[in-house]
């Protein structure tokens, strides 16, 4: 047996969750192929920008059509589910590739917006908007996909194109949102989100996928991901409701306190995992 084979068999297995990013070799096509992939990833991010800017403006139209005294919850549930979904989506992208997870979050966006556009009560619209909040993960996922699809020396230029696209769509959407809402209403606007997200989902076929890794459900470390999400979610919710419930009320103090306790538990769990990993490396 050779020295190389001995070292191969004695090496400690690499944790698939912490493997460095692999730059994928794109199919033939040169610059045009790379521009296509960059455009697809930019489009997915642009849809998020459009839904964020226009979604904030259509709240007044929605609550006028579906009367409620809790209109502020429309934006709140979107933010909370965004916080909840991001850690899980990021971890899943490391294990299964950003393209696959992008497809999943696009599906959540279509499902949530479809529920919202069909809603006849504010409560149902709220549920739909909460589900659609999971689409927020498309932002960092698109950057992860860009990182995997482009050589490191080209990544800064692609990142600049993403930022420029975001800025352009913020300006344009802000300018056309008012006339658009007056012309097609909030249901028509949410219908546009559905169509744009469906297009983004179809265009993802042009993006190469990260090679699948041999992973199991336990590699997602769901308990840590839930702690990642729940701790800031509780603190954020407590701060959002502070003015309504009272900053020193038992409800606010309890929610914020629970978030702080979960944060401590998360730190303790992360330290424990680090100790186990260090012990494995030494062994």
């Amino acid at each position: 047996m050779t020295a190389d084979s001995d070292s191969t068999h004695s090496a400690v297995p690499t944790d698939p969750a912490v493997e460095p990013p692999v730059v994928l070799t794109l199919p033939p096509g040169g610059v045009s192929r790379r521009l296509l992939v960059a455009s697809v990833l930019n489009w997915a991010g642009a849809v998020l920008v459009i839904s964020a800017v226009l979604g904030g403006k259509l709240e007044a139209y929605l609550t006028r059509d579906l009367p409620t005294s809790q209109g502020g919850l429309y934006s709140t549930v979107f933010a909370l589910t965004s916080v909840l979904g991001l850690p899980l989506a990021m971890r899943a992208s490391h294990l299964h590739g950003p393209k696959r997870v992008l497809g999943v979050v696009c599906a959540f966006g279509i499902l949530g917006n479809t529920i919202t556009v069909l809603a006849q009560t504010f409560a149902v619209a709220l549920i739909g908007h909460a589900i659609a909040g999971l689409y927020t993960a498309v932002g960092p996922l698109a950057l992860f996909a860009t990182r995997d699809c482009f050589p490191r020396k080209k990544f800064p230029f692609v990142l600049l194109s993403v930022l420029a696209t975001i800025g352009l769509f913020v300006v344009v959407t802000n300018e056309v949102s008012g006339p658009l809402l007056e012309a097609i209403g909030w249901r028509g606007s949410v219908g546009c989100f559905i169509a744009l997200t469906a297009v983004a989902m179809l265009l993802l076929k042009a993006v190469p996928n990260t090679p699948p890794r041999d992973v199991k459900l336990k590699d997602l470390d769901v308990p840590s991901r839930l702690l990642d999400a729940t701790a800031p979610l509780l603190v954020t919710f407590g701060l959002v409701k502070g003015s309504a419930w009272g900053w020193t009320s038992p409800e606010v103090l309890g929610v914020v306190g629970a978030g702080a306790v979960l944060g401590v538990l998360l730190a303790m769990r992360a330290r424990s995992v680090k100790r186990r990993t260090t012990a494995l490396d030494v062994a």
Side-chain angles (χ1 to χ4, degrees):
M1 184 177 292
T2 65
D4 289 342
S5 62
D6 289 340
S7 62
T8 300
H9 285 289
S10 62
V12 176
T14 304
D15 180 0
V18 295
E19 287 181 3
V22 177
V23 177
L24 304 177
T25 302
L26 293 174
V31 176
S32 61
R33 175 65 174 172
R34 294 192 183 278
L35 287 176
L36 173 61
V37 173
S39 299
V40 168
L41 297 174
N42 277 353
W43 177 257
V47 175
L48 175 61
V49 173
I50 294 171
S51 63
V53 176
L54 191 54
K57 293 180 178 291
L58 66 78
E59 181 179 324
Y61 293 82
L62 184 146
T63 52
R64 185 175 61 192
D65 189 31
L66 305 175
T68 178
S69 59
Q70 302 293 326
L73 287 176
Y74 189 75
S75 298
T76 302
V77 298
F78 187 89
L80 293 179
T81 52
S82 298
V83 173
L84 180 64
L86 278 171
L88 288 170
M90 298 304 97
R91 184 68 169 181
S93 73
H94 290 151
L95 301 178
H96 303 292
K99 177 182 176 178
R100 295 183 182 92
V101 186
L102 273 169
V104 172
V105 297
C106 283
F108 275 119
I110 293 172
L111 173 63
N113 284 321
T114 300
I115 293 173
T116 299
V117 81
L118 297 175
Q120 298 301 313
T121 64
F122 179 74
V124 175
L126 204 62
I127 293 172
H129 200 49
I131 296 173
L134 297 173
Y135 182 76
T136 305
V138 78
L141 286 173
L143 291 180
F144 286 177
T146 303
R147 175 200 64 185
D148 287 349
C149 292
F150 289 85
R152 185 171 298 176
K153 64 181 180 179
K154 295 182 182 295
F155 179 71
F157 300 101
V158 179
L159 181 59
L160 287 175
S161 75
V162 173
L163 296 177
T165 301
I166 290 174
L168 176 63
F169 274 89
V170 167
V171 173
V172 173
T173 306
N174 193 55
E175 289 295 323
V176 304
S177 57
L180 182 65
L181 283 166
E182 291 292 341
I184 64 177
W186 70 269
R187 292 186 192 274
S189 299
V190 176
C192 289
F193 299 161
I194 297 171
L196 294 175
T197 307
V199 171
M201 194 173 185
L202 291 173
L203 290 176
L204 285 175
K205 292 182 178 181
V207 179
N209 204 1
T210 303
R213 298 170 181 172
D214 184 18
V215 297
K216 300 179 177 62
L217 180 61
K218 66 179 182 179
D219 295 319
L220 283 173
D221 193 8
V222 174
S224 291
R225 302 291 72 75
L226 290 177
L227 286 174
D228 282 344
T230 308
L233 186 150
L234 289 174
V235 173
T236 301
F237 184 71
L239 295 177
V240 168
K241 301 300 290 186
S243 58
W245 292 350
W247 293 106
T248 57
S249 67
E251 292 84 357
V252 170
L253 294 178
V255 170
V256 174
V261 170
L262 288 178
V264 173
L265 292 176
L266 175 62
M268 294 174 61
R269 181 177 177 82
R271 189 173 182 180
S272 175
V273 171
K274 183 177 180 181
R275 284 176 177 171
R276 291 198 300 270
T277 303
T278 302
L280 177 63
D281 291 340
V282 171

